[in-house]
Amino acid sequence: MGVCLSLLFITSCKDDFVSTRPLGEVSEEVTWSDPALAEAFVLDIYNGLGQGGLDEQMQASLTDEAMFTHPGRGINTITESRSNAADQGWINGTYSWSELYKRIRATNLAIVNLTESKFDDTNKANSLLGEAYFLRGYYYQQLLRFYGSIPLIDKPYELGEEDYTLERSTYEDCVNFIVSDCDKAVELLTGVTNPAGRANAIAALALKARVLTYAASDLHDVPTASSKSPTIAAFSNKEYLGYVSGDRTERWQKAKDAAFAVVNQTNYGYKMNLSAPVSPAEGTENYKTLSLGGGSNAVPADGAVELLLGRFFSELKDEGGNYVGRNNGPNGYHNWAGNTPIQNLVDDYEMVDGSQFSWTNPVHASAPYQNRDPRFYATVLYDGADWKPRTNDVKGLDPFNQIQTGQYEVVNSSGSITVQAGLDTRTSSIEDWNGTQTGYYFRKFTDPDPAIIDQNTRQTIPWPVLKYTEAVLNYVEACIELGQDGEARNWLNKIRFRSGMPAITESGDELRQRYRNERRIELVYEEHRFFDARRWMIAPNTIGSKIGLIRIGATLKDGKKVQVYHYDPESYTYKYTPSDLDPGIENRQWLDKMYFMPISRDEINRNTKLTQNPGYE
Amino acid sequence: MNSEHITKTFLWPMLILALVASPTIGFAEEPIGYTTEVSNLKQDEITVTGRVNSMTGNEGLPGVSIIIKGTQQGTSTDGDGKFIIEGVPANATLVFSMIGYKSHEEVVNNRTSVSIVLQDDLSSLDEVVVVGYGTQKKETITGSVTTVKSADLVKSPALNVSNSLAGRLPGVIATQGSAEPGYDGSTVRIRGTNTLGDSSPLIVVDGIPARQGGFERINPADIDNISVLKDAAAAIYGARAANGVILITTKRGKIGKPSLSYTFNQGFSQPTFIPKLADASQYAEMRNELELFKLPVSEWEAANTAFKNNGSYDRKNGSTLTAPFSPEDFQLFKDGSDPWFHPNTDWYDAALKDYSPQTQHNLQLTGGSENFQYLTSIGYQNQDAFYKNSATNYKQYDLRINLDAKINDYISTKIGVLGRQEDRNFPTKSAGTIFRMLMRGNPTQPAFWPNGLPGPDIEYGENPVVITTDQTGYNKDKRYYFQTNGEINISIPGVEGLKFTGTAAADKYIRQTKQWQIPWYLYTWQGDYETDGTPKLVAGKRGPYADPALSQGNEDQLNILLGAVVNYDKSFGDHQFNVLAGVNRETIRNDNFNAFRKYFISGAIDELFAGGDSEKNNGGSAWERARLNYFGRINYNYKEKYIAEFLWRYDGSYMFPENSRYGFFPGALAAWRISEEDFWKENVPVVNYLKLRASYGQMGNDNIYYNNSLQEYQYFSTYGFGSYIVDGNVVKSLYESRVPNTFITWEVANNYNLGLDGQLFDGRINFEFDVFMNKRTNILWQRNASIPQSTGMTLPAENIGKVNNKGWEFNVGYNGASGDLKYNASINGGYAKNKIIFWDESPGAPEWQRTTGKTTNSGMYYIYDGIFKDESDIAANNLDYSDITNNLRPGDMKYKDYDGDGAITPDDRVRRDRNTTPTFQGGLNIGLQYRNFDMAILFQGATGGELMVSSAESGAIGNYLLEFYEDRWTVDNPSSEFPRIADRSDQYYSSGNTYWLQSTNYVRLKNLEIGYTFPIELIRKVGVSNLRLYANGLNLFTISNIKAYDPESVNQTGQYYPQARIINFGASINF
């Protein structure tokens, strides 16, 4: 006790012991003088990529690619054009104003601290700086394509500054700013080989190509956009939405040049050197390989080559993006049917011979899943499609491991015919509330490896942030808009050949329409459709359309006595009835205000210099 | 303190008063001369017999302790109040004492027979109240301090002390959110919520602040009393006292021969409320409705009829819509003839048992001489959960040793040791998950198949009848506490009244967690039959991992407190001074690590080494905290009539940078005992005690809390660690934790209090009344409403917020007796309501949506305005609903166009001025005693809170509350009052409007105890000095507005482990 007391009086006068330090953090000074810590800081900025696009809610469900099965997530606020400044609807973190600006601040911190680096390794400092420029450009690009122009902030603010308000820059200035960041990144990253998951010079080139492609599009050419939309025409700050002056051809030329800089790096292309279509089966395999990006043991790893920048996943880190199969898979596998393909998408897949699918064609209508574009089979799970082994509590009901989204006649134990609901429907005996509304399930980014039991195993399929094929399609688009149809068809057909589809021969506007559908199919579920439908200004008739779905009934042919159902045209007559989703579930409609997402009212209140987008008042 | 002096000066007049008042005192039963003679014969030692009577009637008082003053020799009265005591020095003084009575000293003066009357102690004015760093007499206390005694606490069968406070302490709001064993503590708030961040009070146990483990798990039998400092009296605890202070004092040894007591409690608990849910046919009916509501409205009528007639509907577009349930299904659900495929499952009934046992044993040994007193206490608790075959339970083993020793005339010491082990056992699924599945379980699905095998899955394999058991593995959470505190008191020789106290406390805390997750099996029918014709069930493996997985964690913490206090008492004539000054140094260090493996070689070995190397994982971290404080108090009184007190603390916390680390927190309190004035005594003698109190204090709060976590080091520019995936590997990454705020300092509470205490009729009636106003400024909050998000800054806490909190409290008590019946009753209550004055709200929101000026945590809601009963009602509508729906349908809800712009927009939402926390909580305590029977009753209630009742998980995904079934719009019975049911709250009106808000006002019989004490003559023969049997109960019945859940619930969907009703039987025996 005496010892304690004397200790007390000795120490109580000195209070150094009160200055504890956070034992789990490092200081700013130490970070920027240590290359490993500085690198860790730059790496964290990539977390602004979120789950890539592999969240439970996918942007595809805001478009005519998919619908989201579960209500109450703010999805139909957007698809029914009900977004407003007080209630924007569901916005993923990868497009969130606050999240992206937080990441932009981090890039600004990195740029400030790496421009005159406090450590010796200049090469390291420069490559990190290059990544920071790339990331700043990327995040501004996310904001720009979602909200229109935004305030451009290129310095880290501190606490206690007098003025934090700033108006939106013009759309043109935003494009120039991002392009400039891309150019700096290319300069600093040229010759640097970063590992998968980090940006290289080529990623910066691809980003630049995308931004310039968007910049040249209809929506961002104010005269064109105004002529097509009264809402835009009535807006008083059109410079926030696009180019109010200047030469569109020049913009397309820039876009083409930027895209070609990527396209020219042919070693990034996956099987892009074909001169004729591969077989349909090979086409499906190729598309799977490409879509799965090297993250699946079920297909070759070659698909990774196209990932100019990928968001990767690991079974060692538990993240949302590990659960694509669980989030989207069939309820009959204890999965959740999140973002299910809609009939509108399915109908846009061509026949394998390059002709259009049509419900009025009786051959098509009686077997709609036969002889379609080989990519369909790698993208969509449909009634009768082979899939993974059922879990053992279900496999007795479906020993054939096929998707069941219809209603089937079977002969029961007493010998009479009854109608049985498919296991993967909303009248299934297994978790029926997680059944598809549309009759389809998503498979593109789901690992088909049967070892991955989707309900509880982490998959590691990467998300394509920037991909070689996208740059090729951007190049094709620019060529079409510049009237260079031959060059456009040449590259478009390389993409088709890889998937086993025949060449396109059209030109002019017909070629443009074929291109647009090709892009829709090839890049489906990759967060392009949301923007493409807007910048082409075709959204009113595409993503504004009612949701289509399929109803399937199978009746036993005479004398057939099937007890355990599987897809079997020998025993069954199938009837496919496309129809619209009932309005009580999701009632899509398009209003022109939806071309640009609303800026939150709170943010406008905080930054009084902000101007709201057209149509939101 | 000069309490000893005060006690002496005060006690004597009281005693004299008592002697005069009582006619029987001092009269011997035998002639005086005779007894004198006898005593003379025996020289100095005599045998004294006698009887102790109570004030009322001639009833003898059993169990009164009688001690020869200055010795340990003594006895106690028998069942008739009689006693015999041998070897009494003829000139000795006998001390008679018993709880509830004023103690009495009687000089023997050679008498062999002494009978006295013990006066009821109604006034309790000489009661000593524990305050910060000392004690004060109730009659001269200046602050707003409320107390509860051990005797009241043990009347409650709650094992967790925090659940015994509600209704007993005016101004203390205790709300129990759940009764899950191990996590059943109440949220305790003193005078409501005063800040936007952390509002929890500082807990001080035996003089040591913020001990790990708090006070919830202290063995109730070890607690002597609990004091709550509500106003400036808390200022001596400085930077952590802004939310009030709760002082827990544990029992200490008493002078006397060793006394051994044993208490046994056997309780039975069950949920207070089980939500009433739809049965199978009711659910099936709603399930069918959900399907037809998806159709265009024009088809509802036809589809409804078709569903009812034949279970399917041929649509206009040629397709056929089959109802989820056919008319035959309804018949089978109702008649119960098909238990295999048409059960009518009550999930709560399937998973919960009728009652769950809880057991408590406590053994206490106490005694001691004048120089050394000891108390040792050993306790054991075992609390089972509501589940059948429950894997959840809570066990506690505790030991306490409190020693007091007087070394010599100048030095005395106190030592306290606590050892406690808390075992929390759970299945691998949380209570939230279990009750989620109980609410979700469809009544049309079996929990168990008729052959006894577990039924099918709900989701994730979470069938509650399985996941409540050990079939999923286990989740163990063991916490070990070893807490010691020592105190040495040195009276400085030569300076009368000067005393030095040195304190040291070392508290060790170790926590070990171990979670073993194994797959389990559920059974489904896949269409086959056994040979006996019963359905053949197939086992399906479910679980988060396909193989066993183990997570283990360890945490090791040491808190050290060193303190020194100097205390000086001095009086000059009628002026009395007490001066105290002290210093405290506190440090905490915590180290932790965790590890995980899966791919175990076998489920038989649940130790880490047996797991596979693939995907194994581990981590660890540490933290340190420190504080240094100086404090003091000056207390002055004049004739105990005018009392003034000044107290202060100079506090330094690690939470703040060096230049703003220290803060000075003063408090000033004054009291005037009006009843001591002559004019009062002459004119209003009926009010024998009246005291006016006033106080003002400034206190602090250094706990920066938002986003549900403590925000440390807001002044540092540091980067925190995250991770990112590069090349398939998880690599470390760094992010800016915050933009530093180098100006940060503590929150400041300015608390004002005015109080009046009084007694009438010598304590037969007593009352206390307080009004208070707490002004909290410098509240640590993020400036996130005015700084644009485009700055990208992760904002630190800044001292920007302001909240005012006002309220009042009262307590009125009455003590009475009628014949053998003694009774007391008291009623207390406390009201507190806060208002946000400033917290950087963005200016653009409409005035009616602003939080500023409203109470904290208030929500924003559309105003319910009836239901669109039918199409004509919709046609008559001229409001624009397009911001919230583009498809108005019958059964939809009407909203009020609050801003009158002709459209229903988010601007029509209106901010409430309420939240889930009640603004008033009060209690009615009644005590009755009749001969050997005693009874205590506590009614407790609260008002001013509201809860949104949500159907967010009702629909195809889960069951509905019965009230949603009964009150709903249907095609057959369209309502203009109740809306159409929704599937998972998927309609615009399913949440966020006032229709769903329910008041949580309630009154409940919180606590009832009935006891019987055996007559002493019956039990003395077997060496027992006291034997009492009792039964008590908690939450016995409730009257409340909210029908769906327990009114203390803060859970909107009922998916939580509910509050408990406990019935308990106990016995206490003393040797």
Side-chain angles (χ1 to χ4, degrees), chain A residues 533-599:
Chain A
R534 281 171 169 75
R535 63 191 182 85
W536 296 334
M537 299 189 80
I538 60 167
N541 300 320
T542 54
I543 63 183
S545 299
K546 303 290 181 212
I547 292 168
L549 51 82
I550 193 78
R551 296 199 190 279
I552 300 162
T555 44
L556 281 166
K557 290 183 173 167
D558 283 346
K560 299 290 183 182
K561 291 190 169 153
V562 177
Q563 288 191 311
V564 179
Y565 174 79
H566 73 114
Y567 176 71
D568 177 12
E570 294 291 304
S571 305
Y572 283 99
T573 306
Y574 288 90
K575 188 171 178 236
Y576 299 90
T577 316
S579 63
D580 281 351
L581 183 74
D582 285 317
I585 305 168
E586 185 175 326
N587 194 29
R588 288 191 177 178
Q589 96 174 5
W590 175 265
L591 296 176
D592 278 358
K593 66 177 181 180
M594 298 308 296
Y595 277 121
F596 299 93
M597 290 299 288
I599 298 170

Side-chain angles (χ1 to χ4, degrees), chain A residues 487-537:
Chain A
E487 178 72 346
R489 277 193 302 267
N490 177 32
W491 283 95
L492 199 56
N493 288 336
K494 285 178 197 264
I495 290 171
R496 287 172 65 86
F497 294 161
R498 174 173 70 185
S499 295
M501 290 295 287
I504 286 172
T505 54
E506 284 88 340
S507 53
D509 190 54
E510 284 178 348
L511 176 60
R512 179 183 289 119
Q513 299 314 325
R514 291 296 299 266
Y515 156 74
R516 286 183 176 177
N517 198 55
E518 188 64 23
R519 184 175 172 110
R520 166 159 164 74
I521 297 302
E522 177 69 24
L523 298 181
V524 69
Y525 271 93
E526 294 184 24
E527 296 195 357
H528 291 287
R529 184 67 175 173
F530 181 92
F531 303 107
D532 290 343
R534 281 171 169 75
R535 63 191 182 85
W536 296 334
M537 299 189 80

Side-chain angles (χ1 to χ4, degrees), chain B residues 848-849 859-863 898 906-912:
Chain B
W848 57 89
Q849 295 189 347
M860 201 157 60
Y861 300 90
Y862 288 103
I863 297 169
Y898 191 83
D907 279 354
D908 293 313
R909 293 172 297 172
V910 177
R911 179 80 51 191
R912 301 285 291 177

Side-chain angles (χ1 to χ4, degrees), chain B residues 685-697:
Chain B
V686 65
V687 181
N688 60 305
Y689 170 67
L690 188 69
K691 182 174 70 179
L692 188 64
R693 292 179 277 110
S695 75
Y696 162 71

Side-chain angles (χ1 to χ4, degrees), chain B residues 300-450:
Chain B
W300 285 6
E301 195 89 46
N304 183 47
T305 310
F307 274 12
K308 291 201 167 160
N309 291 342
N310 53 22
S312 76
Y313 164 59
D314 295 324
R315 295 191 62 179
K316 289 175 184 166
N317 67 9
S319 66
T320 299
L321 183 64
T322 309
F325 295 98
S326 68
E328 298 80 56
D329 292 327
F330 282 91
Q331 187 51 40
L332 291 166
F333 284 132
K334 278 180 187 150
D335 66 23
S337 61
D338 178 22
W340 280 91
F341 304 116
H342 290 86
N344 181 12
T345 304
D346 179 338
W347 284 90
Y348 277 86
D349 192 50
L352 306 189
K353 49 193 169 199
D354 293 339
Y355 59 82
S356 308
Q358 63 173 47
T359 315
Q360 191 183 24
H361 297 267
N362 187 246
L363 191 67
Q364 269 189 8
L365 176 68
T366 172
S369 64
E370 286 214 332
N371 291 331
F372 181 70
Q373 297 103 45
Y374 55 89
L375 174 130
T376 67
S377 175
I378 299 170
Y380 167 73
Q381 295 180 3
N382 186 354
Q383 192 181 0
D384 191 12
F386 297 151
Y387 318 128
K388 288 175 178 165
N389 302 314
S390 171
T392 298
N393 60 66
Y394 175 77
K395 290 190 178 74
Q396 175 175 315
Y397 311 84
D398 53 74
L399 161 75
R400 182 177 297 274
I401 301 173
N402 281 347
L403 304 175
D404 295 81
K406 190 172 165 187
I407 311 299
N408 57 37
D409 284 349
Y410 301 108
I411 299 177
S412 66
T413 183
K414 286 178 163 198
I415 290 172
V417 176
L418 165 81
R420 184 167 76 231
Q421 180 175 341
E422 300 171 1
D423 288 359
R424 289 168 174 82
N425 296 309
F426 305 103
T428 59
K429 295 289 178 178
S430 71
T433 296
I434 290 166
F435 281 88
R436 180 180 185 215
M437 290 304 160
L438 287 174
M439 290 296 282
R440 276 186 49 182
N442 288 344
T444 53
Q445 292 285 326
F448 289 103
W449 295 101

Side-chain angles (χ1 to χ4, degrees), chain A residues 39 91 152 286 318 389 403 409 413 440 444 473 520 589:
Chain A
E39 184 170 8
I91 294 175
L152 290 170
N286 284 347
D318 194 20
I403 300 300
E409 286 184 355
S413 49
Y440 300 102
K444 181 169 176 176
L473 288 163
R520 166 159 164 74
Q589 96 174 5

